[in-house]
């Protein structure tokens, strides 16, 4: 078997070589564009989907794309004209951004990777703090090791990426924990940072730079930038700020916590995601007085072509204008406020927002508090007895919120919601319109809230019924409850196979066969439940995974059906397994009995009847009548039986009545249109739990009434003709009840005598 990736790579290589061989003179523009279109969208997709994808770019996106084309065209100009043009573009863009985001007397560095700006800033600070770094290099850092401080809530892998690019050991990176006692749990602990810096100074290290957040990547919280700036000035450290909340600096009203970012030494702005501009570079604004050190650090360049990176942003800013930029950022904040207001009115939803007035990031999660329990008694019993759900509630809620986020993202893709993992709060759903560039509108928020309202009852019902399902499975013989905290559903169950001394390999195959057949049988039932083999990776083998459920689920009926179906499959499997041996033994026994019957027939007929001529004459004068004796093999019982009863019944012309087909006790009476595993709810339309129970009681009373009463006796008794007819009806009903009861059947001789007397 060839790896699909290698096969696809080989196919593309063959096509490329064929194009080069067939078109050595080159292709026309139409053919090249058609090839690019096929590579982007695929040849099998419709034109409507292709046009829809291109429309998502928008007119402001077209300006950004035009900037890349113009940059390539401008680069062929003569050197002097190119220098003047690039200087004008770079100075205009830098001036607009500094005014827009309230950053006075700043310079700008434009870069494709959003981490590259911070990397250049680190090199600038190293050149500034180590005067002999240009001459001695690593030896200077070895004598006095630099330390870079980042928050534990920073982007994953940021510290390691900086150390790798700067050639520093990981010991130069210090992660500062967030608050644990006071303040937000997503903000940097300033007091602890102060102690860490003092310890590093005492040990001979050099505190170099602090990376703070104005909107953490996970929850969107802002560090105490004012206190951090004072601390950096005390120890002569560089303060760099990044985060999505920096976008609110362009608004008319800015909170004091965000406004403090304007006093920092540098900040990184990701305008592409904030404004929905494709292929627009990120910008790092910084303040530094020595241009030679900026040039040595790579923040400025003498090459005019590199200055053209700002051209797409220069065009886009002119197209949007100041009002257009502010309106887009303001619209994102309004979307977050709209969602936050709706979330406050929903039960079982917990939000995590730093500033409810202007925060562009909303983080929420599903969380069900056990308010209906006695809080006092629960606190007293917490040390001794703990609820099974509460003990694992952290893992269960993470799983359920992961499922909720995926469902919302699939149902409302325009909302741009995603799932984040927070250190203290676990798995949450995040809405950050400035980071997704999804083009979200107010109607998308309303649709998102409607979908959330539909999913909350499913989550609460499944969470409440998980414990009942676990208890029912553990009480049921033949079923094994599998605890899988990573499964978003009712639970996981496995049917236990009785091995009877088989080896492990054969037992594993039988277990897989039975549970696979069980899953197939359960999916054939008319129910709203989803039965599956579980996740593709990391799931348990040979199990039945049950998905999300609603409150009208009858858990006992579900578990009983699973157990009964598993037993039926096991019995059928055992029957087929033993069939070969049973049939072989039955054939051998039949041969012995037939041989014995032939010997008995010879003894009964006598020796004379075996002589050919004499036997014929003797049979003519005195015919010998022998009853035919045969054998039939009962596959169910695995035994041989005589066929005399068969010949007798055929001779009499009557046959025994076949026994009634047994009905399973699991065949619960359902109302018309009611699916499996559903129980009637009091709040349902047309039927309720009380009405269904009373209906069953009426059926029992109807079967237990005296034979001379009719169902309509309450309206008036029906007159029956003659007392003898009433007695016959009573006698027939009594006989019928005896036949269908679990008692032994009546004596056949007695029944025949009664029939002859009649």
């Amino acid at each position: 078997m060839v790896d699909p990736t290698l096969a696809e790579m080989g196919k593309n290589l063959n096509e490329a070589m064929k194009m080069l061989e067939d078109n050595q003179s080159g292709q026309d523009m139409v053919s090249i564009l058609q090839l690019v279109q096929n590579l982007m969208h695929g040849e099998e997709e419709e034109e409507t989907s292709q046009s829809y994808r291109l429309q998502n770019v928008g007119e402001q996106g077209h300006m950004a794309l035009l900037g890349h084309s113009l940059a390539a065209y401008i680069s062929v100009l003569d050197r002097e004209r190119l220098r003047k043009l690039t200087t004008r573009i770079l100075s205009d863009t830098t001036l607009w951004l500094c005014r827009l985001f309230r950053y006075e007397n700043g310079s700008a560095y434009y870069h494709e990777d959003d981490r590259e700006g911070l990397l250049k800033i680190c090199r600038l600070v190293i050149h500034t703090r180590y005067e002999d770094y240009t001459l001695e290099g690593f030896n200077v850092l070895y004598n006095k090791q630099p330390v870079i401080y980042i928050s534990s809530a920073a982007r994953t892998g940021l510290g390691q990426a900086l150390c790798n690019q700067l050639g520093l050991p990981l010991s130069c990176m210090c992660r500062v924990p967030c608050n644990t006692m006071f303040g937000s749990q997503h903000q940097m602990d300033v007091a602890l940072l102060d102690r860490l810096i003092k310890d590093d100074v005492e040990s001979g290290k050099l505190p170099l730079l602090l990376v703070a957040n104005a909107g953490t990547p996970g929850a969107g919280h802002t560090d105490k930038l004012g206190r951090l700036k004072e601390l950096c000035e005390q120890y002569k450290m560089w303060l760099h700020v990044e985060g999505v909340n920096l976008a609110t600096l362009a608004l008319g009203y800015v909170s004091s916590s965000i406004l403090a970012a304007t006093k920092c030494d540098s900040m990184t702005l990701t305008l592409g995601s904030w404004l929905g501009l494709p292929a627009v570079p990120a910008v790092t604004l910084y303040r530094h007085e020595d241009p030679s050190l900026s040039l040595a650090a790579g923040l400025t360049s003498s090459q005019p072509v590199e200055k053209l990176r700002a051209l797409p942003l220069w065009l886009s800013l002119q197209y949007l204008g100041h009002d257009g930029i502010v309106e887009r950022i303001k619209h994102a904040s309004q979307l977050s406020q709209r969602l936050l207001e709706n979330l406050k009115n929903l039960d079982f939803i917990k939000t995590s927002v730093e500033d409810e007035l202007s925060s562009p990031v909303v983080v929420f999660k599903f969380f069900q508090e056990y308010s209906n329990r006695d809080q006092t008694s629960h606190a007293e019993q917490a040390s001794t007895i703990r609820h099974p759900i509460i003990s694992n509630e952290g893992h269960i809620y993470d799983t359920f919120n992961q499922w909720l986020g995926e469902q919302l993202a699939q149902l409302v893709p325009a909302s741009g919601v995603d799932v984040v993992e927070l250190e203290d709060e676990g798995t949450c759903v995040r809405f950050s319109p400035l980071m997704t560039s999804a083009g979200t509108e107010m109607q998308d928020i309303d649709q998102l809230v409607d979908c959330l309202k539909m999913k909350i009852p499913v989550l609460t019902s499944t969470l409440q019924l998980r414990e009942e399902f676990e208890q029912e499975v553990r009480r049921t013989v033949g079923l094994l409850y599998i605890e899988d905290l990573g499964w978003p559903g009712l639970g996981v169950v496995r049917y236990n196979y009785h091995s009877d001394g088989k080896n492990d390999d054969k037992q594993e195959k039988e277990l897989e066969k039975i549970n696979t057949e069980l899953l197939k049988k359960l999916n054939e039932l008319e129910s709203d439940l989803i039965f599956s083999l579980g996740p593709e990776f990391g799931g348990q083998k040979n199990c039945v995974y049950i998905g999300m459920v609603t409150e009208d689920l009858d858990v006992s009926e579900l578990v009983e059906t699973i157990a009964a179906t598993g037993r039926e499959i096991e019995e059928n499997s055992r029957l087929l397994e033993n069939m070969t041996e049973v049939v072989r033994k039955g054939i051998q026994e039949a041969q012995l009995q037939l041989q014995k019957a032939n010997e008995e027939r010879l003894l009964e007929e006598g020796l004379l009847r075996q002589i050919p001529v004499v036997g014929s004459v003797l049979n003519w004068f005195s015919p010998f009548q022998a009853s035919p004796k045969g054998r039939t093999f009962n596959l169910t019982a695995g035994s041989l039986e005589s066929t005399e009863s068969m010949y007798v019944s055929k001779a009499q012309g009557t046959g025994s009545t076949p026994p009634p087909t047994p009905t399973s006790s699991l065949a619960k009476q359902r109302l018309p249109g009611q699916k499996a595993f559903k129980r009637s709810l009091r709040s349902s339309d047309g039927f309720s739990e009380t009405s269904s129970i009373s209906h069953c009681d009426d059926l029992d009373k109807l079967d237990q009434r005296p034979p001379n009463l009719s169902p309509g006796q309450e309206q008036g008794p029906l007159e029956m003709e003659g007392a003898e007819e009433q007695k016959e009806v009573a006698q027939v009903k009594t006989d019928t009840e005896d036949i269908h009861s679990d008692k032994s059947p009546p004596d056949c001789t007695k029944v025949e005598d009664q029939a002859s007397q009649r």
Side-chain angles (χ1 to χ4, degrees):
M1 298 295 294
V2 182
D3 186 83
T5 305
L6 296 178
E8 185 69 18
M9 184 184 302
K11 179 181 177 182
N12 295 336
L13 180 60
N14 292 333
E15 293 179 356
M17 295 302 297
K18 184 178 180 181
M19 291 169 54
L20 291 176
E21 294 174 357
D22 297 343
N23 303 280
Q24 296 183 0
S25 59
Q27 300 186 35
D28 58 300
M29 182 65 67
V30 177
S31 301
I32 296 176
L33 292 179
Q34 183 65 38
L35 175 62
V36 174
Q37 181 178 355
N38 294 337
L39 295 176
M40 291 172 57
H41 305 294
E43 300 178 357
E44 70 280 357
E45 294 189 5
E46 300 178 356
E47 296 180 358
T48 56
S49 61
Q50 298 172 3
S51 60
Y52 174 76
R53 292 185 181 184
L54 293 178
Q55 289 176 0
N56 287 338
V57 177
E59 294 184 1
Q60 72 280 1
H62 291 165
M63 295 300 298
L65 299 177
L66 178 62
H68 289 276
S69 301
L70 287 177
Y73 177 76
I74 293 175
S75 63
V76 301
L77 297 177
D78 60 89
R79 190 174 218 23
E80 183 63 23
R81 185 172 299 181
L82 177 62
R83 184 187 61 81
K84 292 182 180 180
L85 182 58
T86 54
T87 303
R88 171 67 184 273
I89 293 173
L90 190 63
S91 60
D92 288 351
T93 309
T94 302
L95 180 62
W96 294 341
L97 292 176
C98 289
R99 289 182 178 180
L100 185 63
F101 293 97
R102 307 170 188 252
Y103 197 80
E104 299 178 356
N105 301 324
S107 302
Y109 172 67
Y110 303 89
H111 46 92
E112 302 298 333
D113 188 356
D114 53 359
R115 296 176 299 182
E116 186 179 354
L118 178 57
L119 175 64
K120 301 293 186 182
I121 292 296
C122 291
R123 290 178 177 172
L124 174 63
V125 179
I126 292 176
H127 279 281
T128 304
R129 297 300 301 274
Y130 294 92
E131 297 180 357
D132 298 333
Y133 179 75
T134 305
L135 299 176
E136 299 184 11
F138 175 76
N139 292 329
V140 179
L141 303 180
Y142 179 77
N143 296 329
K144 200 168 187 178
Q145 180 177 333
V147 182
I148 300 175
Y149 302 89
I150 63 173
S151 172
S152 59
R155 288 179 290 173
T156 305
L158 177 62
Q160 184 176 2
L162 291 177
C163 290
N164 293 338
Q165 294 296 325
L166 295 173
L168 298 177
L170 293 178
S171 58
C172 294
M173 192 63 55
C174 178
R175 294 180 60 88
V176 183
C178 294
N179 294 322
T180 55
M181 298 296 295
F182 305 100
S184 172
Q185 296 180 350
H186 305 281
Q187 289 180 342
M188 191 184 303
D189 192 338
V190 181
L192 181 57
L193 173 62
D194 191 8
R195 292 196 298 268
L196 291 174
I197 295 176
K198 289 182 179 179
D199 294 341
D200 290 335
V201 172
E202 293 176 357
S203 61
K205 298 181 180 179
L206 178 63
L208 196 67
L209 181 140
L210 172 63
V211 181
N213 291 300
T216 55
H221 289 205
T222 303
D223 293 326
K224 299 176 182 178
L225 301 179
R227 290 276 293 114
L228 295 177
K229 179 59 179 176
E230 296 175 0
L231 199 63
C232 289
E233 291 178 351
Q234 178 182 350
Y235 293 99
K236 298 181 181 180
M237 295 172 55
W238 186 284
L239 177 61
H240 178 83
V241 181
E242 59 182 19
V244 65
N245 290 347
L246 292 175
T248 59
L249 289 173
L251 300 179
Y253 168 77
V254 185
S255 61
S256 58
S257 59
I258 303 297
L259 192 60
T262 59
K263 304 300 181 182
C264 65
D265 298 301
S266 61
M267 65 169 64
T268 298
L269 310 175
T270 55
L271 297 173
S273 59
W274 296 352
L275 304 178
L277 302 175
V280 167
V283 184
T284 296
L285 302 179
Y286 65 96
R287 297 189 185 98
H288 200 266
E289 298 178 355
D290 192 347
S292 61
L293 295 181
S294 300
L295 181 62
L299 289 170
T300 58
S301 175
S302 59
Q303 298 295 328
V305 178
E306 294 188 6
K307 298 180 181 180
L308 289 175
R309 292 180 181 176
L311 181 58
L313 191 56
W314 184 75
L315 294 175
S316 300
L317 292 178
Q318 292 189 89
Y319 178 81
L320 293 174
H322 180 273
D323 295 339
I325 296 173
V326 173
E327 183 62 28
R328 285 182 174 273
I329 299 175
K330 185 178 179 181
H331 176 68
S333 299
Q334 291 175 349
L335 292 175
S336 300
Q337 297 305 310
R338 178 71 168 268
L339 177 61
L340 183 60
E341 292 175 359
N342 286 276
L343 293 178
K344 289 181 178 180
N345 299 326
L346 297 180
D347 296 331
F348 311 116
I349 293 297
K350 179 181 177 182
T351 60
S352 175
V353 180
E354 181 185 26
D355 187 1
E356 296 185 356
L357 297 178
S358 61
S359 177
V361 180
V362 178
V363 176
F364 62 93
K365 62 181 296 186
F366 167 75
F367 184 77
Q368 183 177 7
E369 296 181 356
Y370 294 89
S371 57
N372 55 341
R373 300 173 180 265
D374 187 3
Q375 300 295 334
T376 305
S377 61
H378 174 70
E380 294 176 354
Q381 299 175 2
S383 58
T384 57
I385 301 176
R386 198 172 185 188
H387 197 270
I389 293 182
I390 299 177
S391 60
N392 296 319
E393 66 176 357
H395 298 286
I396 295 176
Y397 280 124
D398 288 346
T399 302
F400 277 41
N401 283 286
Q402 178 78 25
W403 177 85
L404 177 62
E406 294 174 354
Q407 290 291 312
L408 294 178
Q410 181 179 0
L411 295 174
V412 193
S415 64
V417 295
D418 58 352
V419 180
V420 293
E421 296 286 344
L422 302 182
E423 184 176 356
D424 297 323
E425 301 180 10
T427 304
C428 299
V429 183
R430 179 180 61 183
F431 174 72
S432 181
L434 286 176
M435 296 302 297
T436 57
S437 303
T440 311
E441 301 296 337
M442 286 295 179
Q443 57 268 22
D444 299 325
I445 300 299
D446 298 336
Q447 184 181 359
L448 180 67
V449 174
D450 293 338
C451 294
L452 189 59
K453 290 179 180 179
M454 292 188 299
K455 298 300 179 182
I456 289 177
V458 177
L459 291 169
T460 55
S461 302
T462 306
L463 185 62
Q464 293 174 357
L465 294 176
R466 280 176 70 103
E467 179 188 3
E468 182 181 352
F469 176 75
E470 178 180 354
Q471 294 177 356
E472 288 288 341
V473 171
R474 294 188 186 278
R475 285 197 299 260
T476 305
V477 180
L479 296 183
L480 177 63
Y481 180 79
I482 305 298
E483 186 174 8
D484 190 351
L485 301 179
W487 172 248
L490 184 64
V492 186
V493 64
R494 174 188 295 162
Y495 183 80
N496 267 342
Y497 174 71
H498 304 288
S499 59
D500 294 338
K502 297 180 180 179
N503 54 33
D504 295 338
D505 294 338
K506 190 171 184 180
Q507 181 181 356
E508 186 73 18
K509 292 181 180 179
E510 290 292 336
L511 184 65
E512 180 181 1
K513 179 180 178 182
I514 292 177
N515 284 277
T516 303
E517 186 66 21
L518 175 61
L519 176 63
K520 180 180 178 182
K521 294 287 186 182
L522 293 175
N523 283 323
E524 292 176 356
L525 300 177
E526 295 182 0
S527 67
D528 294 332
L529 300 182
I530 299 178
F531 303 94
S532 65
L533 293 175
E536 184 177 359
F537 302 102
Q540 297 286 338
K541 296 176 61 178
N542 305 327
C543 296
V544 177
Y545 284 74
I546 306 173
M548 292 289 179
V549 299
T550 54
E551 60 179 350
D552 58 348
L553 174 69
D554 193 338
V555 178
S556 58
E557 181 187 358
L558 171 63
V559 175
E560 190 178 356
T561 302
I562 295 175
T565 307
R567 286 193 296 267
E568 180 182 356
I569 296 173
E570 182 182 2
E571 292 173 358
N572 294 337
S573 177
R574 289 178 180 273
L575 179 61
L576 293 176
E577 182 180 354
N578 299 329
M579 185 66 67
T580 304
E581 184 67 19
V582 171
V583 170
R584 186 181 63 81
K585 292 182 179 180
I587 292 175
Q588 293 178 356
E589 185 179 355
Q591 291 177 349
L592 295 176
Q593 292 188 10
L594 290 176
Q595 183 179 358
K596 184 178 180 181
N598 290 331
E599 295 176 356
E600 293 178 354
R601 184 176 60 83
L602 292 176
L603 294 176
E604 292 179 1
E605 293 179 357
L607 182 60
L608 294 177
R609 294 183 184 274
Q610 308 306 320
I611 302 175
V613 179
V614 178
S616 300
V617 175
L618 186 59
N619 288 333
W620 183 75
F621 282 104
S622 177
F624 179 80
Q625 297 180 355
S627 59
K629 295 182 180 181
R631 297 292 185 271
T632 178
F633 184 70
N634 191 340
L635 292 177
T636 304
S639 60
L640 289 174
E641 298 177 357
S642 176
T643 57
E644 293 184 7
S645 59
M646 183 184 303
Y647 287 109
V648 171
S649 61
K650 286 186 177 181
Q652 294 179 354
T654 59
S656 59
T657 304
T661 303
T663 58
S664 174
S665 61
L666 305 175
K668 181 180 177 181
Q669 262 190 334
R670 299 193 186 95
L671 300 174
Q674 183 180 3
K675 294 186 178 181
F677 316 128
K678 295 288 185 180
R679 54 181 174 84
S680 301
L681 296 177
R682 295 182 179 180
S683 59
S684 60
D685 297 332
F687 299 101
S688 66
E689 188 175 358
T690 306
S691 61
S692 62
I693 294 176
S694 61
H695 179 67
C696 297
D697 294 340
D698 293 341
L699 293 177
D700 296 337
K701 292 178 181 179
L702 184 64
D703 293 337
Q704 297 175 2
R705 70 178 185 272
N708 57 347
L709 298 181
S710 62
Q713 188 175 5
E714 290 77 7
Q715 287 77 14
L718 296 176
E719 297 182 357
M720 303 181 65
E721 297 180 357
E724 295 295 329
E725 292 184 5
Q726 296 181 2
K727 292 181 180 181
E728 287 185 4
V729 172
Q731 183 65 28
V732 170
K733 182 173 180 60
T734 303
D735 295 341
T736 306
E737 291 176 352
D738 292 338
I739 292 175
H740 290 282
S741 66
D742 295 333
K743 300 179 181 180
S744 59
D747 190 2
C748 297
T749 307
K750 185 176 180 180
V751 174
E752 292 179 357
D753 294 340
Q754 292 178 358
S756 62
Q757 291 177 4
R758 294 177 183 176

